[in-house]
């Protein structure tokens, strides 16, 4: 009768037992379900591309490639072109990357190379990360009422005295490229600094100790050894920061000026693809809608390309780092 | 030999000096760069404090109970509030969370537990990473094409779908990360007891990883609450309450704090601009509170 008592015990689940048929069935179903959800995530990406592309189809067949090279936006005569917007998107993002990248990487170095006590490092890290928590629209509001008034005298002086340089050719009348890029650089700063910090803190300690052992000063070790080792990761951070900047909408819609022109000047108003969408979509008529979808498709293509590049660079960087520590 | 003798013996040997003068160019270079990066770090903190000070200064003086209970003012009207926008934000973000959290966590269970090395997992992970870089306005364009055009009107659910798309990658990636932190020994013990992988996931992995998952969810919710661009043409805006006279206008245009700020910041009236500042203050307080709750949950989990 020993067998019976054992199976009794097993049924009352007071000792461990192999899974019952029911449990195995449940397991199969649940695992299948989670696999299904994983595929759903993949499907979502395709769905986004598909929806935007099909809605843009009429405009693509009508306007073709001329859409990318022309620079008029005339709803009445149905003439559309997004060259100024593409230019504005790339120009503002590049400016933001210059400023945000410089500060982001400096911060990452400063916060990983034992300059500060750990508590202070932690506090700075959190302050920089809080920058990401402020909604974009609040930055836009802040930009209108704080950054633009602050920049106006500086821009005026630069235009008066150095107006012959293309960057200062026009005066700052209000919204413009520079205030937009400045706010944009603040918004990408947390991304750049967080990812570069990861890359820098993954550099094996031994490398730095070896550099110190050879008599390097702190900065010789950083510039000669640590930054080159982490360079792929830092580059990935910059690419992802650039991708973030390309797609930022609200701050630009509020600060860039929404003017359909191309200029090298930092103070002239411009436009970006994202802010074009934000400004025109809500009141788009039937004729304008497919055209805006076309613009959205271009933005989607640019940002996906940049972000996938960034992801690949980072993947490569972490693979290299694993090799280095082994 | 005592110490004195050693000292005299080696007195004429020229040892390399181990310390460098502060005026030595290499040292100077190091000091200048240290100060430079320190200053850069402090400068980077200035915008945050500037934003917070402006919010408290310009938004704080407008604070009153009426802001939460009244409807937005019309052109020349004084006073007013944005109660409907607060309710709208909560409704839209709740819809988004109801979609993104289950999908995200179940995907993460698959990525972390059932097939971490599988082809499905690597494709899904890659897609999730791609989605993190999706500009928020494109989430709006998608929801417009897929929901607004299909249902025939701007609505809170359309806004919710757009925000869910933005929350999804954050939920997936943070949940996967925290599930991977669960010690393998705990899982092995459960398997040794005869648990199926599903039981391991439900009884061991999910409860242990819960704080990390919650942190990710909080971050995603905070981000969604502040998003404006995707709501501009999915939920649009409304000057009325979403729930009124017992009936709900969920399928109608819905107000949200973020769009309220955008609409009012461009108006030429002093009262409206002050309202935009006050709404920003409330929105930032909401977002920061959710963020800080997330931080506290995750730091508690690390201690225990």
């Amino acid at each position: 009768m020993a067998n019976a008592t054992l199976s009794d015990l097993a049924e009352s689940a007071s000792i461990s037992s192999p899974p019952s048929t029911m449990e195995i069935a449940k397991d199969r179903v649940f695992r299948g379900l989670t696999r299904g959800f994983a595929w759903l995530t993949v499907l979502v990406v395709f769905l986004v591309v598909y929806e935007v592309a099909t809605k843009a189809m009429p405009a693509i067949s009508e306007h073709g490639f001329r859409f990318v090279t022309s620079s008029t936006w005339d709803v009445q005569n149905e003439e559309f072109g997004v060259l100024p917007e593409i230019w504005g998107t790339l120009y503002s993002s590049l400016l933001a990357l210059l400023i945000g990248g410089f500060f982001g990487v400096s911060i990452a170095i400063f916060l990983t190379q034992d300059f500060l006590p750990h508590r202070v490092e932690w506090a700075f890290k959190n302050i920089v990360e809080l920058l990401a928590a402020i909604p974009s629209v609040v930055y836009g509001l802040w930009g209108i009422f704080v950054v633009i008034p602050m920049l106006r005298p500086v821009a005026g002086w630069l235009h008066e005295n150095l107006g012959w340089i293309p960057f200062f050719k026009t005066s700052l009348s209000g919204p413009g490229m520079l205030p937009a890029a400045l706010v944009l650089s603040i918004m990408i700063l947390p991304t750049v600094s967080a990812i570069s910090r990861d890359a820098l803190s993954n550099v094996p300690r031994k490398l730095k100790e070896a550099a110190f052992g050879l008599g390097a000063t702190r900065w010789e070790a950083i510039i000669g050894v640590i930054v080159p080792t982490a360079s792929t990761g830092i580059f990935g951070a910059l690419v992802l920061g650039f991708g973030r900047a390309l797609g930022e909408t609200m701050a630009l819609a509020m600060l860039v000026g929404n003017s359909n022109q191309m200029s090298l000047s930092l103070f002239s108003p411009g436009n970006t693809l994202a802010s074009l969408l934000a400004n025109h979509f809500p009141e788009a008529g039937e004729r304008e809608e497919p055209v805006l979808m076309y613009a959205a498709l271009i933005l989607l293509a640019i940002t996906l390309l940049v972000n996938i590049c960034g992801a690949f660079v980072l993947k490569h960087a972490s693979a290299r780092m694993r090799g280095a520590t082994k | 030999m005592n110490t004195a003798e050693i000292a005299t013996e080696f007195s004429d040997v020229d040892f390399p000096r181990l310390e460098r003068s502060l005026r030595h160019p290499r040292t100077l270079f190091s000091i200048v760069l240290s100060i430079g990066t320190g200053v850069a770090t402090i400068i980077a903190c200035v915008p945050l404090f500037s934003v917070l000070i402006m919010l408290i200064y310009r938004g704080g003086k407008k604070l009153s109970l009426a802001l939460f209970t009244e409807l937005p003012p019309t052109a020349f009207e004084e006073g007013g509030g944005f109660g409907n926008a607060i309710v709208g934000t909560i409704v839209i973000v709740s819809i988004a969370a109801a979609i993104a959290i289950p999908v995200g966590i179940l995907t993460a269970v698959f990525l972390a537990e059932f097939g971490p090395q599988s082809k499905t997992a690597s494709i899904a992970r890659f897609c999730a990473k791609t989605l993190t870089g999706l500009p928020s306005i494109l989430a709006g364009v998608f929801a417009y094409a897929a929901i607004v055009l299909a249902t025939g009107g701007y609505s809170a659910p359309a806004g919710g779908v757009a925000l869910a798309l933005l929350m999804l990658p954050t939920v997936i990636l943070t949940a996967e990360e925290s599930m991977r932190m669960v010690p393998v020994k705990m899982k092995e013990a459960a398997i040794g007891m005869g648990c199926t992988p599903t039981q391991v996931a439900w009884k061991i992995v999910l409860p242990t990883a819960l704080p990390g998952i919650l942190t990710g969810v909080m971050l995603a919710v905070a981000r969604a609450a502040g998003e404006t661009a995707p709501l501009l043409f999915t939920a649009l805006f409304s000057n009325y309450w979403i729930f009124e006279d017992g009936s709900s206008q969920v399928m109608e245009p819905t107000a949200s704090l973020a769009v309220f700020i955008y609409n009012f910041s461009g108006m030429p009236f002093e009262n409206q601009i002050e309202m935009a500042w006050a709404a920003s203050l409330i929105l930032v307080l909401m977002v920061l509170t959710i963020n800080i709750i997330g931080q506290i949950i995750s730091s508690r989990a690390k201690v225990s």
Side-chain angles (χ1 to χ4, degrees), chain B residues 91-117:
Chain B
V91 169
I92 296 171
V93 173
S94 306
I95 294 172
I99 301 169
I101 294 171
V103 176
I105 292 179
L106 286 176
T107 306
V109 167
F110 180 80
L111 295 185
E113 288 302 309
F114 296 154
Q117 311 294 340

Side-chain angles (χ1 to χ4, degrees), chain A residues 208-285:
Chain A
K208 191 160 83 170
E209 283 159 10
F212 285 158
L214 289 171
T217 63
R218 201 203 276 264
W219 275 95
E220 282 164 353
I222 292 172
I223 292 171
V225 177
I226 294 166
V227 170
T229 316
S231 59
T232 326
I234 294 174
F235 181 65
L238 293 177
V239 176
L240 285 189
F242 185 62
R244 218 8 79 83
L246 290 173
E248 236 344 296
T249 313
M250 294 322 294
L252 283 154
M254 293 162 90
L255 293 172
V256 84
N258 305 306
S259 128
N260 216 23
Q261 62 180 40
M262 285 165 75
S263 162
L264 256 185
S265 172
L266 296 174
F267 307 136
S268 75
N271 206 356
T272 70
L273 285 168
S275 60
L276 173 86
L277 290 170
N279 285 314
H280 287 252
F281 225 118
E283 53 230 27

Side-chain angles (χ1 to χ4, degrees), chain A residues 162-184:
Chain A
L162 298 164
W164 49 273
I165 301 175
F167 297 118
F168 310 129
K169 209 168 58 196
T170 50
S171 62
L172 186 73
S173 56
M177 225 36 159
L178 188 63
L182 264 182
V183 172
L184 207 50

Side-chain angles (χ1 to χ4, degrees), chain A residues 16 23 27 30 34-35 37 39 44 55 110 115 133 137 141-142 215 217 219-220 244 254 279 289 304 307, chain B residues 20 26 30 34 37 44 50 107 114 120 130 132-133 144 149 165 193 198-199 202 228 262 265 280 287 291:
Chain A
S16 57
E23 282 170 339
D27 180 47
F30 184 67
T34 57
R35 182 183 286 270
F37 274 101
W39 279 112
V44 162
K55 297 287 188 305
F110 195 63
F115 284 103
V137 68
L141 188 68
W142 177 73
T217 63
W219 275 95
E220 282 164 353
R244 218 8 79 83
M254 293 162 90
N279 285 314
E289 217 174 86
L304 279 189
N307 280 305
Chain B
R20 252 181 242 118
R26 289 170 66 196
S30 211
S34 299
T37 45
S50 169
T107 306
F114 296 154
T120 311
T130 313
T132 28
Y144 176 84
L149 291 183
L165 202 59
M193 300 288 283
T198 303
Q199 286 167 330
W202 277 103
T228 318
Y262 177 62
S265 66
S280 300
V287 171
N291 253 304

